[in-house]
């Protein structure tokens, strides 16, 4: 996917989500566009090879895309990533859409993580968080600045109140240790209707309405809070502290994200494609 | 300085005079104020015992050396205001801890007016009992406490058991809080608090969390009908807990009230609590490694933060309001002595 220069005033999407439901597509579109508008000047165009921006497996049971845009100054924004994965499993079809903003090691803003998982229109899982760059136990000021004061907790509580929502607990203990204390991790399912005519289409519509009316404003709200923090609350980090940030970020990238990619992808796409994707991810372009 | 963790926003940890009059306790040995028990733990022989099973002592009925000690070991805590099932659960857990730790623990030296206190208004009572670990043992101290308050919305009962480890082991600390904000609901907090940064230390995560029963205990408890995740009001508390932390609130059915809650306590909470305590004992005696000098400072730093931040949040928000400044100060002093 290539980005057209901003100067011509003509923009194409830097990442495209072809398979999600209507409301979910609009949501991912909006997040990607907002990032492009607000962070565009800080980002290069994507240079991700085309066999990483789109790949399929030979059995046609799985398809995916990973698009990266490097930061112009990697000490501020390292890269942004947009990706989607679709797999047809025996249990149904799974669609995973992800947008991540990886921050550079000379500022301490948390990373922005947003993932939406749709399972055959039966459920929607949301993972939305500002991933901490510091140990919040030892740095309560960090906790206050980026979590207490940003009002992320209020957004989270809003989702908690929805009858269709249930707390989602990631199966990986490591991922649980990475996320913040206000991480928005929820699974949305339609409540069981007594009406036996409630069919799949009905369920799909209900869920889509939920995505449109609840998840969309929440995710957009979180992104705006992140952008505000990125612009206004940032502490510049140098020296030893910067090295610590870098070390922690490397852990997050390797153990958090890379392991996730390399555990699922070989099974779906084979080692060759997996290797190319991971190479692109490591380069961050 | 030592402060135990009392990590629910409601919770404060408080002591009992009721059973002081009922049964004779260990002598109150006067200690110098500010005596820091933590320094003892860096010196001396490692007294920790290796068990093949944490319940081995319990099963064989082995007791610590002196007969008088063994009688004192039993029932070092009672919980007078909980329902029958809650009382049984907390006392059984306290017994397990005392029996398994046996000769690693001193008798309590907590002053009587910390082991039981009441507020002047007459609507609140509480108890805090501490037992410090012996020199060279992997235990820094254990704490048991309860709080009972008649408030406008109902009667609040909080019971707490904490096991803080020394630098003889890197094993996580034990936290167990059992809170009944009224006759129809229950909050359970059960966790092994990590003493290392899990983002960096994959080995620690694996040894104590991925490879133990903690996650399956959590998943089992989560299946309890009506169990919902409990969110402590302060973000900071959530940071101290582990990825397998159990924090659930359960509503009993309002028609059956305490009865349905009692069933949940007996069928779900009790096996979970004993399971986690089991893993903690296993961690202390089998899985834990002695802390190397290089890591000692960092670990001690983290332990201190857990204690001071844990207590600071709790005590300064609740105790003065419920019991007045004088009682609050007295309790804090006992914590600082760790006994």
């Amino acid at each position: 996917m290539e980005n057209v220069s901003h100067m011509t005033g003509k923009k194409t999407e830097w990442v495209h989500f072809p398979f999600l439901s209507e409301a979910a597509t609009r949501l991912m579109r909006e997040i990607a566009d907002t990032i492009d508008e607000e962070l565009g000047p800080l980002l290069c165009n994507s240079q991700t090879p085309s066999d990483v921006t789109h790949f399929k497996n030979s059995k046609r049971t799985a398809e995916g895309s990973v698009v990266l845009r490097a930061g112009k100054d990697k000490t501020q924004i390292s890269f942004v990533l947009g990706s989607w994965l679709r797999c047809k499993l025996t249990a149904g079809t799974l669609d995973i859409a992800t947008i991540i903003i990886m921050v550079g090691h000379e500022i301490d803003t948390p990373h922005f993580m947003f993932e939406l998982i749709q399972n055959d229109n039966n459920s929607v899982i949301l993972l939305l968080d500002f991933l901490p760059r510091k140990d919040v136990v030892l740095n309560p000021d960090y906790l206050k600045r980026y979590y207490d004061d940003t009002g992320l907790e209020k957004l989270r509580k809003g989702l908690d109140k929805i009858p269709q929502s249930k707390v989602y607990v990631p199966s990986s203990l490591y991922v649980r240790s990475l996320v913040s204390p206000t991480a928005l991790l929820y699974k949305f399912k339609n409540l069981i209707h007594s009406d036996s005519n409630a069919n799949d289409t009905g369920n799909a519509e209900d869920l889509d309405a939920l995505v449109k009316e609840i998840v969309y404003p929440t995710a957009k709200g979180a992104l705006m809070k992140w952008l505000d923090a990125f612009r206004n609350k940032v502490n510049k980090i140098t020296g030893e502290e910067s090295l610590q940030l870098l070390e922690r970020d490397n852990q997050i990238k390797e153990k958090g994200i890379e392991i996730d990619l390399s555990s699922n992808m070989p099974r779906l796409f084979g080692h060759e494609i997996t290797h190319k994707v991971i190479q692109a991810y490591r380069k961050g372009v | 300085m030592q402060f135990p963790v009392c990590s629910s926003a409601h919770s404060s940890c408080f002591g009992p005079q009721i059973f002081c009059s009922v049964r004779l306790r260990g002598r109150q040995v006067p200690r110098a104020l500010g005596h820091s028990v933590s320094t003892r733990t860096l010196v001396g022989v490692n007294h920790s015992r290796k068990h093949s099973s944490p319940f081995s002592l319990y099963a064989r009925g082995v007791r610590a050396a002196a007969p008088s000690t063994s009688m004192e070991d039993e029932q070092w805590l009672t919980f007078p205001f909980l329902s029958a099932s809650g009382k049984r659960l907390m006392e059984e857990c306290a017994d397990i801890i005392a029996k398994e730790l046996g000769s690693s623990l001193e008798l309590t030296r907590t002053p009587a007016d910390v082991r039981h206190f009441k507020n002047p208004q007459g609507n609140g009572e509480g108890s805090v009992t501490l037992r410090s670990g012996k020199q060279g043992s992997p235990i820094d101290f254990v704490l048991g406490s309860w709080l009972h308050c008649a408030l406008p919305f109902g009667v609040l009962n909080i019971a707490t058991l904490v096991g803080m480890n020394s630098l003889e082991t890197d094993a996580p600390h034990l936290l167990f809080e059992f809170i009944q904000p009224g006759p129809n609901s229950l909050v359970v907090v059960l966790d092994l608090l990590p003493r290392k940064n899990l983002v960096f230390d994959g080995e620690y995560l694996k040894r104590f969390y991925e490879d133990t029963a903690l996650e399956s205990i959590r998943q089992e408890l989560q299946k309890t009908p009506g169990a919902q995740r409990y969110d402590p009001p302060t973000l900071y508390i959530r940071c101290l807990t582990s990825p397998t932390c159990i924090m659930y609130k359960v509503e009993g059915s309002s028609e059956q009230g305490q009865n349905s809650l009692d069933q949940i306590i007996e069928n779900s909470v009790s096996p979970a609590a004993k399971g986690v305590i089991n893993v903690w004992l296993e961690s202390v005696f089998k899985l834990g490694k002695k802390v190397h000098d290089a890591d000692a400072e960092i670990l001690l730093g983290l332990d201190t933060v857990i204690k001071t931040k844990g207590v600071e949040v709790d005590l300064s928000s609740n105790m003065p309001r419920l019991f007045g400044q004088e009682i609050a100060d007295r309790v804090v002093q006992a914590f600082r002595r760790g006994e």
Side-chain angles (χ1 to χ4, degrees), chain A residues 40-55:
Chain A
L42 302 174
L43 297 173
C44 306
N45 289 340
S46 172
Q47 276 155 37
T48 314
S50 57
D51 55 2
V52 173
T53 61
H54 190 225
F55 47 86

Side-chain angles (χ1 to χ4, degrees), chain A:
Chain A
M1 298 282 170
E2 279 174 354
N3 225 9
V4 176
S5 161
H6 288 61
M7 296 213 267
T8 66
K10 207 174 109 184
K11 274 192 283 208
T12 57
E13 304 158 349
W14 63 279
V15 61
H16 180 58
F17 297 90
F19 290 113
L20 301 175
S21 71
E22 195 180 329
T25 305
R26 207 173 304 135
L27 166 56
M28 297 308 293
R29 171 84 286 109
E30 176 68 20
I31 299 292
D33 281 353
T34 307
I35 289 176
D36 190 36
E37 278 158 32
E38 304 292 333
L39 296 180
L42 302 174
L43 297 173
C44 306
N45 289 340
S46 172
Q47 276 155 37
T48 314
S50 57
D51 55 2
V52 173
T53 61
H54 190 225
F55 47 86
K56 318 183 187 202
N57 70 359
S58 47
K59 288 172 258 176
R60 293 171 181 267
T61 53
E63 221 176 313
S65 165
V66 176
V67 179
L68 296 121
R69 290 177 68 179
K72 284 182 177 157
D73 178 353
K74 282 187 181 272
T75 64
Q76 307 295 300
I77 297 277
S78 182
F79 61 81
V80 300
L81 175 152
S83 75
W84 57 263
L85 192 71
R86 162 165 265 232
C87 13
K88 296 194 173 85
L89 308 162
T90 41
T93 305
L94 201 64
D95 281 298
I96 304 172
T98 310
I99 289 181
I100 296 175
I101 305 173
M102 284 295 288
V103 179
H105 59 274
E106 282 182 12
I107 55 175
D108 68 355
T109 320
H111 304 302
F112 179 79
M113 179 191 74
F114 174 40
E115 189 158 282
L116 207 64
I117 304 174
Q118 283 195 298
N119 182 357
D120 252 347
N121 293 322
N122 284 339
S123 67
V124 174
I125 294 173
L126 170 71
L127 295 94
L128 180 59
D129 194 27
F130 300 171
L131 297 181
R133 317 274 300 294
K134 289 193 176 182
D135 184 346
V136 291
V137 173
L138 299 174
N139 295 281
D141 164 70
Y142 191 86
L143 182 67
K144 183 174 195 306
R145 192 154 36 97
Y146 288 120
Y147 300 97
D148 283 316
D149 292 351
T150 52
L152 205 58
E153 174 66 0
K154 209 165 152 204
L155 277 184
R156 191 193 65 76
K157 282 194 172 137
L159 291 185
D160 221 31
K161 293 190 188 128
I162 312 290
Q164 297 96 321
S165 83
K166 226 181 132 179
V167 169
Y168 172 71
V169 182
S171 54
S172 158
L173 298 194
Y174 188 73
V175 170
R176 292 183 214 174
S177 73
L178 283 186
V179 295
S180 81
T182 60
L184 285 74
L185 304 172
Y186 289 96
K187 183 170 185 167
F188 300 96
K189 260 185 117 133
N190 276 318
L191 301 175
I192 311 233
H193 297 290
S194 53
D195 176 5
S196 58
N197 285 334
N199 50 24
D200 280 345
T201 337
N203 279 344
E205 279 164 14
D206 287 344
L207 264 188
D208 232 31
L210 199 147
V211 170
K212 180 174 171 191
E213 279 150 39
I214 311 275
V215 181
Y216 181 111
T218 303
K220 185 78 194 280
L223 179 60
M224 298 319 287
K225 286 180 194 299
W226 184 89
L227 287 165
D228 177 60
F230 175 70
R231 290 196 180 103
N232 303 319
K233 288 179 193 280
V234 139
N235 271 0
K236 294 212 196 305
I237 308 293
T238 51
E240 180 64 36
E241 224 184 317
S242 174
L243 285 176
Q244 283 173 7
L245 281 188
L246 195 56
E247 232 187 287
R248 191 184 169 101
D249 288 344
N250 285 339
Q251 292 290 314
I252 293 174
K253 283 190 205 169
E254 283 171 32
K255 284 156 73 171
I257 302 174
E258 199 176 297
I259 285 196
D260 188 48
L261 288 176
S262 53
S263 63
N264 289 316
M265 287 199 64
R267 194 171 23 94
L268 295 167
F269 298 101
H271 286 284
E272 202 184 317
I273 292 177
T274 306
H275 180 74
K276 284 194 190 137
V277 170
I278 291 185
Q279 286 309 306
Y281 168 69
R282 281 184 189 165
K283 281 199 213 132
V285 299

Side-chain angles (χ1 to χ4, degrees), chain B residues 105 204 210 216 218:
Chain B
L105 286 182
Y204 192 91
E210 286 171 354
S216 55
R218 187 194 70 78

Side-chain angles (χ1 to χ4, degrees), chain B residues 323-337:
Chain B
F323 293 93
Q325 200 60 49
E326 198 187 318
I327 291 178
D329 288 346
R330 219 185 292 148
V331 172
V332 169
Q333 288 307 309
F335 289 163
R336 287 184 180 173
R337 288 191 302 271

